[in-house]
Amino acid sequence: MPRQRRGLRARPRRHSAPVPWPSNPVSRFSRHYFYFHFTNQPYPEDRKGCYLCFRVERTQGGLSSEVGSGVFENEFYPKEPVHAEICFLNWFKAQPAFQAQRLAPEEKYQVTWFMSWSPCFQCARQVAKFLRDHTSVQLSILAARLYYPRRPQYQQGLRSLQGAGAHVAVMTPADFASCWEMFVDDHKKRFWYWKGIYINSCSLAKSLEDILGNLGLRAEMPQQHWNQDSTPVPWPRRLYPKIFDFNFQNINSYGRKSTFLCFEVERWKNGSFLNSLKGVFRNQLFHDHAELCFLDWFCSSPHVQYRVTWFISWSPCLECAEQVAQFLKRNVNVDLSLSAARLYYENEDDQGLRDLVDAGAKVAMMAPEDFEYCWDNFVYHGGRPFKYWKNVRRNYYSLQQKLDEILW
């Protein structure tokens, strides 16, 4: 295996935007830097630097606001070298929002990293310690490549991050497109997928799964939703605008092969439903469909009444529908409302939808207002209003009529 030093920065021959610096991250960087450093070939040559694109959101009182976003690179001078992950932690601790509130229990920070290399074991230990000391910070790490994936120290570093509550995953083609949109200077130009991007992503994801073992793609639920028998579970994250627009449009199915599930979980307490948890799941390359990922994540107490709402890009397949129906029959304290953007057109899947209704689920198609609600609550929209696409209401009425024929 070739040596992968994260040493002096390797620069492409051309660039049109400044490179990031440790103390003051740049908001965007050159597309040439992006293509050069974020290619997901397992062992590319001369990719010696590590780039970290980040986004930080703060949630308090049910309202979400952006704290900051930008790009860090490893620091090499004037003193000892500092990796990009530690540069971010130093920057984050200095933010007024962090210092003023001292991470009060009622607020949360959702941090997302897109990294050209996964963290080394020294950085992983420091980040894991930070997460354990600040439980209000929820971190998602998406890596283009794995750094020394065969060395036990680096494997243990990734496991320590997962054990501290971080969501660790390999970047998918959709993640690369989202990173391009948010952090590349020429983001309005079309993002071109390179040869082998999907195969490399699948291979690296399998390697990460082998490293993490039973903890792969899993993290802990918030403390108020634990029980004594709970196991580590997947941690959800929001969608980016292009991903949402493409996958949730209620039009033809061309190219829309993934399933995204936006969910809300509310608990009955003191005469009303409280403590709403929100997030997003998608199909996993080597795991279950999004519906089953949710069931693995959800940990209910038989003494609490739950109200669960799903907004899903495809209606469930027969197998998923049957498993969800069985779950509802075993857990009569869970009320499920399911709204789908599109119907999964297989004759045998019709019976699955009927089984869901028989088990007590409320099944419907997503109305235009549902799409806007998802945009406001499950998308990194940057304050932009939701824009309805052409024929959204006409398509809704047509799909709802077909669903009614299936169910009744």
Side-chain angles (χ1 to χ4, degrees):
M1 175 177 174
R3 183 170 177 78
Q4 304 165 354
R5 292 181 61 251
R6 300 208 295 189
L8 295 175
R9 72 178 70 194
R11 299 190 181 187
R13 293 182 179 180
R14 298 183 301 159
H15 62 277
S16 58
V19 296
W21 298 103
S23 300
N24 298 299
V26 296
S27 58
R28 295 180 181 271
F29 66 142
S30 164
R31 62 188 176 96
H32 304 293
Y33 270 78
F34 177 82
Y35 279 126
F36 184 81
H37 286 283
F38 275 83
T39 176
N40 64 347
Q41 298 173 12
Y43 310 117
E45 296 181 357
D46 297 327
R47 272 72 172 180
K48 299 177 181 179
C50 180
Y51 283 77
L52 186 157
C53 305
F54 70 89
R55 183 187 179 103
V56 181
E57 281 195 317
R58 174 186 175 189
T59 302
Q60 188 175 28
L63 300 177
S64 179
S65 61
E66 182 176 327
V67 174
S69 63
V71 186
F72 278 109
E73 187 199 16
N74 292 354
E75 177 182 0
F76 300 104
Y77 54 84
K79 298 181 181 180
E80 293 295 324
V82 180
H83 283 182
E85 302 92 315
I86 310 306
C87 291
F88 170 85
L89 291 184
N90 294 337
W91 171 87
F92 182 60
K93 293 175 185 177
Q95 297 307 299
F98 180 92
Q99 293 183 336
Q101 297 296 329
R102 294 297 178 186
L103 295 180
E106 66 274 8
E107 65 177 336
K108 299 291 182 182
Y109 285 82
Q110 179 62 52
V111 180
T112 304
W113 289 356
F114 297 93
M115 301 186 64
S116 58
W117 287 106
S118 62
C120 68
F121 68 92
Q122 296 100 327
C123 291
R125 289 172 181 172
Q126 294 188 53
V127 175
K129 183 180 184 303
F130 176 84
L131 293 176
R132 286 192 292 267
D133 294 340
H134 303 89
T135 56
S136 296
V137 179
Q138 299 163 357
L139 174 63
S140 296
I141 301 175
L142 307 174
R145 299 181 299 272
L146 298 178
Y147 191 53
Y148 287 127
R150 298 177 184 175
R151 296 192 177 183
Q153 283 181 308
Y154 294 83
Q155 294 177 357
Q156 184 56 43
L158 295 175
R159 287 192 287 265
S160 67
L161 283 169
Q162 197 72 72
H167 169 77
V168 184
V170 168
M171 290 179 68
T172 66
D175 292 325
F176 286 107
S178 298
C179 190
W180 170 276
E181 179 183 356
M182 294 181 60
F183 300 104
V184 174
D185 195 46
D186 299 327
H187 64 284
K188 292 185 179 180
K189 295 183 179 179
R190 181 181 176 183
F191 170 61
W192 292 97
Y193 295 96
W194 51 83
K195 183 179 180 180
I197 184 174
Y198 181 79
I199 295 176
N200 292 338
S201 179
C202 292
S203 176
L204 290 166
K206 184 62 171 65
S207 298
L208 181 62
E209 179 188 17
D210 294 338
I211 292 171
L212 299 178
N214 292 331
L215 294 179
L217 300 175
R218 293 175 178 265
E220 295 179 354
M221 291 175 65
Q223 187 170 359
Q224 70 267 21
H225 210 56
W226 287 353
N227 67 27
Q228 296 298 320
D229 299 324
S230 65
T231 55
V233 288
W235 184 257
R237 51 194 173 90
R238 288 194 176 196
L239 297 173
Y240 294 95
K242 285 186 177 179
I243 305 300
F244 176 80
D245 284 337
F246 180 77
N247 287 281
F248 273 85
Q249 287 188 17
N250 59 352
I251 55 177
N252 64 72
S253 61
Y254 179 77
R256 293 165 173 84
K257 299 179 180 180
S258 296
T259 298
F260 290 83
L261 187 156
C262 304
F263 71 85
E264 291 183 335
V265 177
E266 299 172 283
R267 305 173 67 197
W268 181 265
K269 187 176 181 180
N270 298 330
S272 61
F273 282 102
L274 303 172
N275 300 329
S276 174
L277 295 174
K278 299 179 181 180
V280 181
F281 282 104
R282 66 170 296 178
N283 291 359
Q284 300 294 337
L285 293 176
F286 301 100
H287 292 272
D288 294 321
H289 287 184
E291 302 93 322
L292 304 186
C293 289
F294 175 89
L295 295 186
D296 289 341
W297 171 86
F298 185 69
C299 191
S300 65
S301 170
H303 307 295
V304 178
Q305 185 70 25
Y306 295 89
R307 185 168 63 186
V308 178
T309 303
W310 287 0
F311 300 98
I312 191 167
S313 57
W314 283 108
S315 62
C317 67
L318 175 63
E319 180 181 354
C320 290
E322 289 181 343
Q323 293 198 44
V324 174
Q326 293 172 8
F327 171 84
L328 293 175
K329 292 177 181 178
R330 293 193 307 266
N331 299 269
V332 295
N333 58 319
V334 178
D335 295 327
L336 174 64
S337 297
L338 186 160
S339 297
R342 297 182 301 275
L343 287 173
Y344 192 59
Y345 290 114
E346 296 289 344
N347 291 333
E348 63 178 10
D349 295 314
D350 295 352
Q351 184 58 48
L353 296 176
R354 289 190 287 267
D355 290 342
L356 281 174
V357 173
D358 292 340
K362 302 177 183 66
V363 180
M365 303 308 301
M366 288 182 66
E369 295 75 19
D370 294 325
F371 293 110
E372 185 172 5
Y373 181 84
C374 283
W375 175 271
D376 292 337
N377 290 272
F378 300 102
V379 177
Y380 292 119
H381 52 72
R384 288 178 290 172
F386 177 65
K387 184 178 181 180
Y388 291 100
W389 49 85
K390 185 178 180 180
N391 294 330
V392 59
R393 191 169 297 276
R394 180 186 300 176
N395 295 339
Y396 159 66
Y397 287 137
S398 175
L399 289 167
Q400 185 63 52
Q401 182 178 0
K402 292 179 181 179
L403 177 63
D404 292 340
E405 293 172 357
I406 292 172
L407 298 180
W408 312 117

